[in-house]
Amino acid sequence: IGGDFLKGAPFVAGSAALEDGRIAVLLHVPDIMAEIRKLARPVETQAVKRLKVLLVDDSPIARATESALVRALGHEVEEAQDGEDAWERMQRGGTFDLILTDVQMPRLDGFALTRRLKNHADFGRLPVVILSSLASPEDKRRGLDAGADAYLVKGELGVESLALTIDRLT
């Protein structure tokens, strides 16, 4: 179950069909913890600025995994279920240091969310990182054209690459 979509995805041990027909992705906790430990040693020796990050992804499993990575870096995470949910949080006065957004989501995708944020007077300088399973050069170009400050491919995402990107942008 899951086929090529999950093949090679970091931290994924497999998938299973639940009784109600939904698919559950099984995370490989030892791999997640090993990745976190790789970065934990250097983090202990330097002062880390605690950021408030808005994580936008329609997949609960992806949100849980990505949120764990961001929290492991010492940052606070608030989660939004899609781009429209994120936009509404921003409109209600949400203050964040960084936005991490998926691309393929219902209601408002990550490209459109990024354009909205970058074209808004109050949010235009807020760093936006696209986290997507879409890895083609065309997809990356579309993300950067939308105004994203960085584009990371989920299948290549690790704690170190995420930490370096966050540090560079903040």
Side-chain angles (χ1 to χ4, degrees):
I1 298 171
D4 291 336
F5 178 72
L6 294 176
K7 190 174 185 177
F11 315 118
V12 174
S15 59
L18 301 176
E19 288 181 15
D20 63 3
R22 293 181 299 148
I23 303 298
V25 175
L26 307 174
L27 300 178
H28 192 259
V29 175
D31 285 352
I32 293 171
M33 295 309 298
E35 189 72 17
I36 290 169
R37 274 189 221 101
K38 282 182 197 175
L39 196 63
R41 287 186 192 97
V43 168
E44 291 170 9
T45 62
Q46 57 183 316
V48 176
K49 181 183 175 196
R50 184 173 170 87
L51 303 174
K52 188 170 180 188
V53 177
L54 179 60
L55 174 65
V56 188
D57 201 312
D58 62 320
S59 164
I61 292 165
R63 274 197 320 269
T65 303
E66 294 157 5
S67 184
L69 290 175
V70 175
R71 284 189 176 100
L73 295 173
H75 305 301
E76 181 183 341
V77 179
E78 188 171 316
E79 299 177 7
Q81 296 179 13
D82 59 32
E84 193 62 43
D85 183 20
W87 182 249
E88 289 167 5
R89 289 169 192 262
M90 297 300 294
Q91 295 295 305
R92 288 193 309 262
T95 55
F96 300 95
D97 300 302
L98 179 79
I99 306 280
L100 298 173
T101 183
D102 185 23
V103 170
Q104 297 175 302
M105 299 179 288
R107 299 197 307 157
L108 185 66
D109 70 30
F111 294 141
L113 172 62
T114 300
R115 277 191 295 277
R116 268 194 198 177
L117 291 167
K118 292 300 183 174
N119 290 322
H120 193 280
D122 294 334
F123 313 132
R125 296 178 58 89
L126 183 65
V128 177
V129 177
I130 290 180
L131 295 176
S132 178
S133 56
L134 302 176
S136 75
E138 170 64 17
D139 293 319
K140 291 177 183 178
R141 185 191 59 73
R142 286 180 61 207
L144 297 176
D145 286 350
D149 298 285
Y151 191 109
L152 300 175
V153 177
K154 287 182 181 180
E156 302 164 2
L157 185 63
V159 173
E160 189 170 353
S161 63
L162 182 60
L164 290 172
T165 301
I166 290 173
D167 288 346
R168 177 175 59 85
L169 296 175
T170 57

